[in-house]
Amino acid sequence: PRSGGPAADRDDGRGSQVGGVDLPVPRGELETRLPKDSIPAITDPEFGANWQGVDVAGGAETDGDAVLPGDAPVVGVARDGEARAYPLRILDWHEAVNDTFGGPLLVTYCPLCGSAVTAERRVDGEETIFGVSGQLWRDDLVLYDRATESLWSQLLATAIRGPRTGEQLSLVPSSLTTWDEWQDAHPETSVLLPPPASNTVRGRDATFAYGRSKYGYDGTQLIGRGESDSAEPAPRRLVIGVTAGGEARAYPFDVVAESGVVNDQVGTLPVVVTVTPGNTLVAYDRRVDGRVLSFGVDDNAHLQAGGSRWERATGRAVDGSYEGHQLESATDVPAMFWKGWRDFHP
């Protein structure tokens, strides 16, 4: 059977447009790589303070004890004063986590685009479960929802075929960072435990080798510093993208790291882009109390503006006249590979 099921051919949003994309997306533009649920989404996640004592072998040999390394990439989400981390060592294999955290939450990761997208997992206002369709669109993850079997583009966060065509998910801000840096910013965080502790659409026996990175993205490898002979960044180079006022811009890791800080304006949005001590690309709205600040480098962990030092990792002012103020994130979606950003923002 075709991934997504027959409901994916019933398009209620025919003729609509989202993000410059005419909907529904023609079936011929979708590439079927695997049968539906071959990549088993997590449905009943379990969390702990760390991975100590957790079975991460998945039937394969692992190196050393079951410990999540400090440089292991994680998708971090903070809601209602609590924090959770979702390691890429799990998301590489499962790509979607159906959680309940400050409400129904969907955490997704596409290894081809390096893109993490988190959203409320509601369709037509009702809570539902999302799974992995086995299809790609623009080389990006395509999900399906259990309630209507509509097909959803991860990066567009929109149903592109099926009964809910044109409906958009409500995004939830997240970070793509390292386990060490996330713990430093959120000492009370919990972390997702791999199956069999967590359940999947195929049951708890759908386990893999979580003891190492499937794609080798640990630590600095996550930034995808591929060499390129052209002026265009390499496809897997990490960029953080910002959209505002009909404009879209991408800031590559190596350019920002070399500069230390970039002050820019995207459409009507003044932004500051920097790299944290843990090599995380971040972009903030640089307006505070109605004033647009211009940021400079203070030290490896801080920027300076308006007579205050600001933590790169959190956007929080730690001293001076702005002490206690917090910069707002300039994007709901963390850094991703240049290819993923470019394909959705041509």
Side-chain angles (χ1 to χ4, degrees):
R2 290 179 299 181
S3 299
D9 289 325
R10 299 197 302 271
D11 303 305
D12 293 350
R14 193 171 297 277
S16 62
Q17 189 179 79
V18 172
V21 176
D22 292 326
L23 299 175
V25 169
R27 177 168 285 280
E29 291 188 14
L30 274 66
E31 180 184 358
T32 301
R33 289 283 187 91
L34 295 167
K36 178 180 176 182
D37 292 333
S38 289
I39 298 173
I42 290 177
T43 53
D44 298 296
E46 293 290 336
F47 295 84
N50 51 55
W51 275 15
Q52 197 68 45
V54 174
D55 177 13
V56 298
E61 292 183 3
T62 57
D63 300 323
D65 297 328
V67 175
L68 186 63
D71 66 352
V74 301
V75 177
V77 180
R79 306 192 82 184
D80 301 330
E82 297 184 24
R84 287 183 178 175
Y86 304 81
L88 262 58
R89 290 188 176 205
I90 299 177
L91 289 168
D92 279 348
W93 295 100
H94 298 279
E95 299 190 5
V97 178
N98 294 272
D99 198 4
T100 301
F101 181 44
L105 182 69
L106 174 67
V107 179
T108 68
Y109 181 73
C110 176
L112 291 178
C113 292
S115 52
V117 177
T118 58
E120 295 182 5
R121 52 179 180 87
R122 299 182 188 274
V123 174
D124 194 22
E126 298 296 324
E127 179 180 335
T128 189
I129 296 292
F130 284 80
V132 179
S133 71
Q135 300 185 72
L136 298 173
W137 179 59
R138 297 185 177 180
D139 278 339
D140 181 48
L141 168 65
V142 174
L143 303 147
Y144 74 90
D145 73 86
R146 187 176 288 177
T148 72
E149 294 188 0
S150 298
L151 296 177
W152 298 77
S153 161
Q154 184 224 25
L155 275 172
L156 201 60
T158 299
I160 57 175
R161 291 191 63 84
R164 301 310 304 173
T165 295
E167 182 174 339
Q168 296 178 269
L169 297 176
S170 179
L171 293 180
V172 174
S174 60
S175 300
L176 180 59
T177 182
T178 63
W179 176 226
D180 267 351
E181 190 161 62
W182 183 254
Q183 288 182 100
D184 287 343
H186 305 276
E188 301 302 319
T189 189
S190 57
V191 61
L192 178 66
L193 304 180
S198 295
N199 199 10
T200 79
V201 295
R202 289 183 9 217
R204 295 181 187 274
D205 59 344
T207 58
F208 303 93
Y210 307 108
R212 58 177 65 88
S213 172
K214 180 180 179 183
Y215 297 101
Y217 294 164
D218 278 1
T220 56
Q221 294 181 23
L222 177 65
I223 64 178
R225 288 177 171 169
E227 295 298 327
S228 176
D229 295 329
S230 70
E232 182 173 323
R236 281 159 57 101
R237 180 159 294 169
L238 203 69
V239 304
I240 192 162
V242 178
T243 60
E247 294 188 16
R249 290 189 181 168
Y251 304 87
F253 177 93
D254 51 349
V255 174
V256 179
E258 183 177 357
S259 301
V261 62
V262 176
N263 293 278
D264 199 10
Q265 181 150 328
V266 183
T268 58
L269 179 65
V271 300
V272 55
V273 187
T274 191
V275 174
T276 73
N279 283 336
T280 299
L281 264 173
V282 291
Y284 299 112
D285 181 340
R286 55 189 177 96
R287 294 173 296 186
V288 182
D289 290 342
R291 179 185 175 192
V292 178
L293 300 180
S294 181
F295 285 82
V297 173
D298 185 84
D299 57 33
N300 183 54
H302 299 88
L303 301 177
Q304 56 84 17
S308 292
R309 293 187 309 144
W310 304 74
E311 290 179 336
R312 299 188 191 212
T314 66
R316 183 173 58 245
V318 296
D319 59 19
S321 55
Y322 287 101
E323 184 175 1
H325 284 70
Q326 181 96 34
L327 299 176
E328 296 289 333
S329 175
T331 176
D332 285 332
V333 179
M336 67 185 73
F337 295 150
W338 164 241
K339 173 177 171 48
W341 178 262
R342 177 196 59 200
D343 288 352
F344 280 79
H345 300 90

